[in-house]
Amino acid sequence: MTARTSDIARAAGVLRAGGLVALPTETVYGLGANAEDPAAVARIFQVKGRPPSHPLIVHIAGAEHLGDWVEEVPATARLLAERFWPGPLTLVLRRGRRVPLEATGGLETVAVRVPDHPVALALLSAFGGGVTAPSANRFGQVSPTTADDVRAELGDAVDFVLDGGRCDVGVESTIVDVTGELPSILRPGGVTREDLEAVLGYPPAVPSTSHVRVPGQHPSHYAPRARVVLVEPEKVIAEAELAQELGHQVGVFLPPSFTDAPVKAHAVVTVPGSMAAYARGLYGFLRELDRQGCDLIVASLPAEEGLGLAIANRLRRAAGPRTTA
Ligand code: AMP
Ligand code: MG
């Protein structure tokens, strides 16, 4: 589905007037504001219920604009931008002066990306500036991958929702910090570690804990209402049936190798064998099991290679302790 030209023009007008626009990208839907308007950026945090210390991503129309938003463009950043933009790769660089500290959570670095979605690119071109956007969900919740998800999640709190159909990648962008000597992956996502290695000539580090404040690194994030429990693939059915017998409304993420097995549970999602299809469907599956009234979801982790690394990362956080609001 492609938004009409009049919708794009209207959305650009909303951004210019300091409003919020939900926009489709290839990863998930974003909640966008004019990156250079501190008051509009502040509204994003208010609507999401997100702590203001958590930085946002600045979306731009093309790699040729990167230099306008950062202090300098190191050679590695240029290489990665040329190879992966437009695409699900976010680069963290030293903040340029036109980026307000509101958009970076007070950090001297800024995250920038060019989304690979015709509607997002049309909006960025029509608007002419940078659009800062986190995922269009309340803080800590599952990211939206359809315009309906956004409406259900944010309702009237957003001034305009641009509908661009279902997001193709389905999980957030890979965030790579290129401010240090060697690039490192702050958050796994749509561009795989293997893709990055093929271009860099060496595998980028994936630090388990980073000193950089990254919302995706909160213990609980990307979480549905239902509690998520992770077990070994061969234990999914037994664990689910036990919990169902104990009185839970259990939703099951059935691993692809168990497709035909009957499961006594409240709701069952058969996980796609292809990691691209799994990533595309992941947040929709979590939302669907919530919708069906599950209070517990039993799942297992895919092999942590390719897109499986990002999927496992999101499932772990969905299953993380919920002590933070
Ligand atoms: P969200 O789409 O809700 O995940 O939010 C945008 C993402 O951008 C966050 O998860 C942050 O991890 C990331 N981000 C934005 N700016 C920076 C930065 N300066 N350093 C590290 N990560 C950043
Ligand atoms: Mg998010």
Side-chain angles (χ1 to χ4, degrees):
M1 190 188 304
T2 308
R4 288 171 305 163
T5 318
S6 56
D7 289 337
I8 301 285
R10 185 171 156 202
V14 170
L15 291 174
R16 277 186 212 107
L20 300 186
V21 172
L23 68 149
T25 78
E26 81 282 31
T27 60
V28 302
Y29 273 73
L31 180 62
N34 176 359
E36 293 172 89
D37 180 342
V41 175
R43 255 190 81 204
I44 293 180
F45 289 90
Q46 199 191 344
V47 165
K48 274 189 70 106
R50 171 164 166 144
S53 58
H54 290 257
L56 310 175
I57 295 172
V58 177
H59 295 74
I60 59 175
E64 67 276 17
H65 303 297
L66 177 58
D68 300 344
W69 300 92
V70 302
E71 202 178 82
E72 56 164 343
V73 183
T76 310
R78 192 169 302 283
L79 176 72
L80 295 176
E82 273 168 14
R83 171 62 185 79
F84 293 107
W85 283 357
L89 177 73
T90 296
L91 297 174
V92 172
L93 294 140
R94 305 221 167 276
R95 180 176 68 93
R97 253 184 276 160
R98 73 193 276 189
V99 183
L101 284 168
E102 281 80 0
T104 70
L107 296 174
E108 286 305 328
T109 53
V110 60
V112 186
R113 112 175 165 94
V114 179
D116 187 14
H117 192 293
V119 175
L121 290 172
L123 175 63
L124 289 166
S125 296
F127 174 58
V131 172
T132 192
S135 51
N137 53 277
R138 309 258 177 206
F139 183 61
Q141 309 287 308
V142 177
S143 305
T145 50
T146 67
D148 282 343
D149 291 345
V150 176
R151 291 185 198 104
E153 179 91 21
L154 298 178
D156 293 339
V158 43
D159 299 308
F160 191 58
V161 179
L162 264 179
D163 193 338
R166 183 178 295 278
C167 301
D168 197 42
V169 175
V171 292
E172 293 80 355
S173 59
T174 303
I175 300 178
V176 175
D177 182 350
V178 278
T179 58
E181 227 163 274
L182 289 174
S184 66
I185 297 178
L186 301 180
R187 173 178 75 183
V191 167
T192 68
R193 190 184 190 205
E194 294 84 347
D195 293 336
L196 291 165
E197 179 177 356
V199 170
L200 293 168
Y202 53 87
V206 189
S208 54
T209 52
S210 165
H211 296 296
V212 186
R213 278 169 281 161
V214 182
Q217 293 189 348
H218 260 241
S220 173
H221 213 85
Y222 314 110
R225 273 198 313 276
R227 194 156 65 84
V228 178
V229 173
L230 299 173
V231 299
E232 294 301 317
E234 58 278 7
K235 294 196 178 135
V236 167
I237 294 175
E239 189 74 24
E241 292 187 338
L242 177 64
Q244 184 76 25
E245 262 174 46
L246 290 172
H248 284 287
Q249 297 297 311
V250 179
V252 185
F253 266 36
L254 195 62
S257 44
F258 297 89
T259 309
D260 295 326
V263 189
K264 291 187 221 84
H266 184 66
V268 178
V269 166
T270 299
V271 169
S274 124
M275 286 298 120
Y278 192 176
R280 194 176 303 126
L282 177 64
Y283 292 140
F285 300 155
L286 292 172
R287 283 175 185 275
E288 177 57 26
L289 293 181
D290 264 350
R291 240 186 326 261
Q292 294 195 27
C294 297
D295 63 82
L296 186 75
I297 295 173
V298 180
S300 60
L301 296 178
E304 294 186 59
E305 56 198 26
L307 274 175
L309 187 66
I311 295 168
N313 171 275
R314 304 306 188 272
L315 283 171
R316 279 212 182 85
R317 297 195 192 283
R322 299 196 181 172
T323 44
T324 48

Coordinates of all heavy atoms in Angstrom, one line a residue, residues 48 135 137 221, ligand 2:
K48 N 5.0 8.8 24.2 CA 5.5 7.4 24.4 C 5.6 7.0 25.9 O 5.7 5.8 26.2 CB 6.9 7.2 23.8 CG 6.9 6.9 22.4 CD 8.3 6.5 21.9 CE 8.8 5.2 22.4 NZ 8.9 4.1 21.5
S135 N 10.2 4.0 17.8 CA 9.1 3.2 17.4 C 7.8 3.8 18.0 O 7.8 4.3 19.1 CB 9.3 1.7 17.9 OG 9.6 1.7 19.3
N137 N 5.2 3.2 19.7 CA 4.5 2.4 20.7 C 4.8 3.1 22.1 O 5.7 3.9 22.2 CB 5.0 1.0 20.8 CG 6.5 0.9 20.9 OD1 7.3 1.0 19.9 ND2 7.0 0.8 22.1
H221 N 11.7 -4.9 27.5 CA 11.4 -4.0 26.3 C 10.7 -4.9 25.3 O 10.8 -6.1 25.4 CB 12.7 -3.5 25.8 CG 12.6 -2.2 25.2 ND1 12.8 -1.0 26.0 CD2 12.4 -1.7 23.9 CE1 12.7 0.0 25.2 NE2 12.5 -0.3 24.0
Ligands
MG2 MG 11.2 1.0 20.6

